[in-house]
Amino acid sequence: MSTFKAPRGTYDLIPPASATYLAVREAIAAPLKRSGYGYIETPGFENVELFARGVGESTDIVTKEMYTLTTKGGDELALRPEGTASVLRAALEANLHKAGSLPVKLWYSGSYYRYERPQKGRYRHFSQVGAEAIGAEDPALDAELIVLAHDAYRSLGLRNFRILLNSLGDATCRPVYRAALQEFLRALDLDEDTRRRVEINPLRVLDDKREAVRAQLADAPLLRDYLCEECKAYHAEVRELITARGVDFEDDARLVRGLDYYTRTTFEFVHDGLGSQSAVGGGGRYDGLSEMIGGPALPSVGWALGVDRTVLALEAEGVELNLPAAVSVFAVPLGEEARKVLFGLVGELRTAGVATDFAYGGKGLKAAMKAANRSGARYAIVAGERDLAEDVVQLKDMDSGEQSPVPLTEVVEAVRARLA
Ligand code: AMP
């Protein structure tokens, strides 16, 4: 071991387990790629003000969890704690909303950083795949995104997840509700921190996980009783469209989520096998965010799914992904001459699209065959001086142990035919 360890709250992805993470990212991205979402990549850090304004000055993410730094040039930066603000910033900066028809549909995949107390399922560095549809107010778009996340989880073989759905209202009805909720909350017995939150962001008090607070919230007014006609109709259509696609969900009138920018549709995917960190993904509509960060009015909707927690959910359900072995063929040369010939053959196989590895390090036959076994390859190609004298290699089926000579010039085709 070296003198150094991965920082607290982080972990490394190492083969073979890392292959599962890649497969999860690909499985989440696949439905998006089939649905007109283009790939976007933004920097790992942004101007700190983008998150303060975009995510919300009163959120835990901004007040407690951001990794901030001042550069030598005096810039105030933060490692990104989430993706939406950055993606919208990038889309506005590139004028994507003016370049073509709306919505602009984007997907992303990357690392995010939050200074949280580490526990299972909660890390300081984690990974998300996300999607944003920018610049359209259409219940079908909200429904599309929910269905695509559902499809992604299903394609991975997950069963025990639930979709929680709520509407947070809009600029017309939410202020009325906010005032009613504040009036209710001010009469409660709350600590100073929470009382401050009641004044800055009362909806987030509904999200408080502490029993002492929860117990007092049983009779809190609910947003669904305050929704304006437009929000009610919008929400009804989202529900109708998801239902028509055969996707089950639960109405959760208390779902508010930890970020300030959400309006109307809000949803969370929870998995019942994960204990306290049960949210595997979440998202919603954020019609006001663009204006909050200095852009034009661009009603938008999006989600982010956590890769780490999705992998934990797979483990909790005992789902084994059907991952292909890293290589199909492993070449074992016996002697100096064979080393050169097989090295060339390995290159030809790779060019032909066959994943192939080679016994490096001048191993003897026994050690080389052990390496071939460990590689998971279906076939080994073994050749010594006598084989080369006859212009053949031995092609060995690693499962059955059967071995037969194949002319050097026909190896690539023979291997391809057998793998097909
Ligand atoms: P959020 O932006 O907080 O709604 O996060 C979206 C998803 O990212 C969550 O549902 C989790 O799957 C994942 N996530 C958020 N924070 C963490 C964390 N600290 N560690 C691991 N996954 C996280």
Side-chain angles (χ1 to χ4, degrees):
M1 204 167 77
S2 88
T3 323
F4 301 103
K5 284 183 159 181
R8 189 167 135 74
T10 73
Y11 64 103
D12 304 304
L13 301 184
I14 289 163
S18 52
T20 303
Y21 284 75
L22 269 186
V24 164
R25 289 193 187 111
E26 279 163 20
I28 299 174
L32 299 168
K33 292 188 203 165
R34 291 198 286 271
S35 309
Y37 290 75
Y39 179 66
I40 184 168
E41 203 166 306
T42 65
F45 50 81
E46 295 273 353
N47 193 311
V48 70
E49 197 54 27
L50 172 70
F51 300 117
R53 284 211 241 159
V55 178
E57 311 252 24
S58 73
T59 59
D60 283 350
I61 292 180
V62 168
T63 55
K64 299 184 194 152
E65 297 169 4
M66 257 192 328
Y67 283 88
T68 53
L69 64 131
T70 307
T71 65
K72 292 196 180 84
D75 293 329
E76 303 278 344
L77 302 177
L79 299 187
R80 57 185 181 188
E82 60 99 51
T84 303
S86 312
V87 167
L88 189 56
R89 192 271 308 141
L92 291 171
E93 190 171 332
N95 276 321
L96 293 185
H97 58 298
K98 293 183 189 159
S101 57
L102 297 173
V104 177
K105 302 210 287 187
L106 302 166
W107 76 274
Y108 58 88
S109 171
S111 292
Y112 296 85
Y113 308 87
R114 292 183 195 172
Y115 191 74
E116 298 194 81
R117 199 170 43 78
Q119 63 178 88
K120 187 163 179 165
R122 189 164 71 196
Y123 310 105
R124 291 180 170 174
H125 163 260
F126 58 97
S127 144
Q128 292 182 336
V129 176
E132 316 289 349
I134 298 165
E137 193 183 87
D138 183 341
L141 201 52
D142 308 40
E144 166 173 290
L145 277 162
I146 294 171
V147 171
L148 292 178
H150 170 271
D151 291 351
Y153 287 135
R154 274 296 162 90
S155 77
L156 284 164
L158 286 173
R159 289 283 170 271
N160 302 338
F161 65 87
R162 291 178 291 134
I163 303 174
L164 309 180
L165 184 66
N166 194 19
S167 171
L168 291 181
D170 64 7
T172 309
C173 53
R174 192 150 69 184
V176 183
Y177 169 70
R178 189 177 186 273
L181 181 64
Q182 262 174 338
E183 200 181 307
F184 172 87
L185 294 173
R186 283 183 191 130
L188 302 183
D189 177 23
L190 300 169
D191 59 276
E192 199 180 319
D193 239 19
T194 312
R195 280 213 301 277
R196 203 173 310 127
R197 188 170 288 162
V198 169
E199 299 312 316
I200 305 170
N201 194 342
L203 268 74
R204 292 216 37 254
V205 179
L206 291 180
D207 207 17
D208 205 308
K209 303 281 186 283
R210 292 170 301 176
E211 199 37 53
V213 179
R214 290 189 80 88
Q216 300 183 68
L217 295 175
D219 297 325
L222 294 174
L223 221 166
R224 69 163 176 237
D225 300 322
Y226 287 77
L227 290 182
C228 60
E229 288 312 313
E230 283 81 14
C231 284
K232 253 190 229 168
Y234 194 96
H235 198 55
E237 197 174 333
V238 173
R239 296 173 83 258
E240 190 185 317
L241 289 165
I242 306 172
T243 308
R245 294 286 292 111
V247 172
D248 291 331
F249 61 89
E250 296 169 22
D251 292 304
D252 182 350
R254 285 167 189 271
L255 181 70
V256 292
R257 298 186 35 76
L259 297 82
D260 275 357
Y261 50 59
Y262 288 111
T263 48
R264 289 193 171 169
T265 314
T266 315
F267 50 87
E268 205 153 81
F269 288 78
V270 294
H271 191 277
D272 292 324
L274 295 186
S276 62
Q277 302 305 312
S278 63
V280 285
R285 183 155 273 285
Y286 49 93
D287 292 344
L289 179 58
S290 173
E291 285 153 300
M292 282 157 78
I293 64 169
L298 281 173
S300 306
V301 55
W303 52 240
L305 309 188
V307 175
D308 310 76
R309 286 189 201 165
T310 303
V311 171
L312 291 174
L314 289 170
E315 285 168 16
E317 283 197 39
V319 176
E320 293 266 351
L321 297 182
N322 193 6
L323 300 173
V327 292
S328 302
V329 175
F330 199 95
V332 174
L334 305 172
E336 199 45 38
E337 178 65 16
R339 211 163 77 90
K340 287 178 187 149
V341 174
L342 286 201
F343 186 75
L345 185 58
V346 163
E348 283 176 46
L349 282 161
R350 289 173 179 168
T351 305
V354 179
T356 307
D357 205 356
F358 187 73
Y360 288 105
K363 291 182 185 56
L365 178 62
K366 209 168 147 201
M369 287 314 289
K370 210 170 180 178
N373 247 318
R374 281 213 189 107
S375 76
R378 295 233 346 247
Y379 296 98
I381 288 173
V382 187
E385 269 170 44
R386 226 180 311 148
D387 300 304
L388 295 182
E390 293 169 20
D391 282 327
V392 298
V393 301
Q394 301 297 324
L395 184 59
K396 179 171 179 177
D397 184 319
M398 297 299 284
D399 287 336
S400 67
E402 271 169 40
Q403 183 172 310
S404 54
V406 175
L408 253 176
T409 50
E410 293 167 24
V411 175
V412 173
E413 266 328 298
V415 167
R416 285 205 338 175
R418 285 181 207 213
L419 288 172

